[in-house]
């Protein structure tokens, strides 16, 4: 969860700043964020169907790998013609893990499913807020380019953890 949050928070919160630092207008940077978020909606919808068809672990590994690889390619994107399609793919892959993880939590054998769900959501929100602070601090100290590279490495680490999810 921590490793996935690093990339998700770095990209969603600092994308406009990152793109304007790379010469894109604020207008294009704003549209880029909209593209990312729009395709994130599609990714969350698709991931549930894929997860039910192919299994939680397979879908989680596929989506995590896709997010890490797409983020790597995004770091080399130079033009709006490469940035927008990569952000569309990144949105699909990056946001797809949320519903899958939530279904993994729901499948736990417990007599207190609502409590377990609230624990999961509390941990998720806590980790996200810590990651936002860390990514912002890294961005200030070492720059957004290096911060995005760190977030990409963390996304690849998330793939390793996706293999630990119980097959269903």
């Amino acid at each position: 969860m921590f490793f996935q949050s690093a990339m998700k928070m770095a990209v969603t919160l600092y994308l406009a700043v990152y793109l304007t630092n790379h010469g894109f207008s604020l207008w294009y940077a704003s549209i880029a964020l909209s593209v990312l978020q729009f395709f994130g909606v599609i990714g969350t919808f698709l991931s549930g169907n894929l997860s039910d068809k192919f299994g939680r672990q397979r879908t989680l590994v596929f989506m995590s790998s896709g997010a890490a690889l797409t983020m790597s390619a995004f770091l080399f994107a130079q033009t709006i013609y490469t940035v927008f399609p990569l952000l569309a793919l990144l949105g699909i892959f990056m946001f797809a893990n949320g519903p899958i993880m939530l279904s993994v939590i729901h499948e736990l054998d417990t007599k207190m499913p609502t409590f377990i769900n609230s624990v999961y959501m509390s941990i998720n929100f806590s980790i996200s807020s810590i990651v936002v602070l860390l990514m912002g601090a890294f961005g200030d100290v070492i720059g957004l380019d290096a911060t995005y590279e760190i977030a990409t490495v963390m996304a690849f680490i998330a793939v390793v953890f996706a293999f630990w999810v119980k097959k269903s």
Side-chain angles (χ1 to χ4, degrees):
M1 201 177 332
F2 176 78
F3 297 108
Q4 291 174 350
S5 288
M7 182 179 60
K8 190 182 296 183
M9 293 298 122
V11 172
T12 56
L13 291 176
Y14 302 110
L15 180 63
V17 177
Y18 178 83
L19 289 176
T20 54
N21 285 348
H22 284 263
F24 293 94
S25 72
L26 190 55
W27 176 256
Y28 279 125
S30 299
I31 294 171
L33 183 58
S34 297
V35 167
L36 177 76
Q37 296 286 350
F38 176 78
F39 281 92
V41 170
I42 294 170
T44 57
F45 181 74
L46 288 176
S47 69
N49 292 326
L50 293 173
S51 176
D52 289 340
K53 186 173 185 175
F54 298 109
R56 310 281 181 253
Q57 184 195 45
R58 262 192 199 155
T59 308
L60 197 58
V61 168
F62 177 74
M63 294 298 185
S64 296
S65 300
L69 292 170
T70 306
M71 182 67 180
S72 297
F74 171 74
L75 295 179
F76 296 101
Q78 300 287 328
T79 69
I80 206 71
Y81 303 110
T82 54
V83 167
F84 279 19
L86 286 171
L87 285 175
L89 281 174
L90 187 59
I92 290 170
F93 289 127
M94 187 171 64
F95 290 102
N97 293 336
I100 298 169
M101 290 303 296
L102 194 57
S103 65
V104 168
I105 296 301
H106 287 171
E107 290 173 349
L108 292 175
D109 187 23
T110 179
K111 294 186 188 301
M112 300 172 65
T114 307
F115 175 71
I116 296 299
N117 188 41
S118 64
V119 168
Y120 165 75
M121 292 185 78
S122 297
I123 292 169
N124 193 15
F125 290 136
S126 299
I127 288 174
S128 294
S129 62
I130 291 167
V131 167
V132 166
L133 182 65
L134 289 174
M135 290 294 125
F138 286 160
D140 288 342
V141 174
I142 62 174
L144 276 180
D145 288 347
T147 302
Y148 270 43
E149 290 169 9
I150 290 169
T152 303
V153 169
M154 293 178 84
F156 279 103
I157 295 170
V159 175
V160 174
F161 283 101
F163 281 104
W164 287 358
V165 173
K166 184 179 87 172
K167 288 186 178 187
S168 60

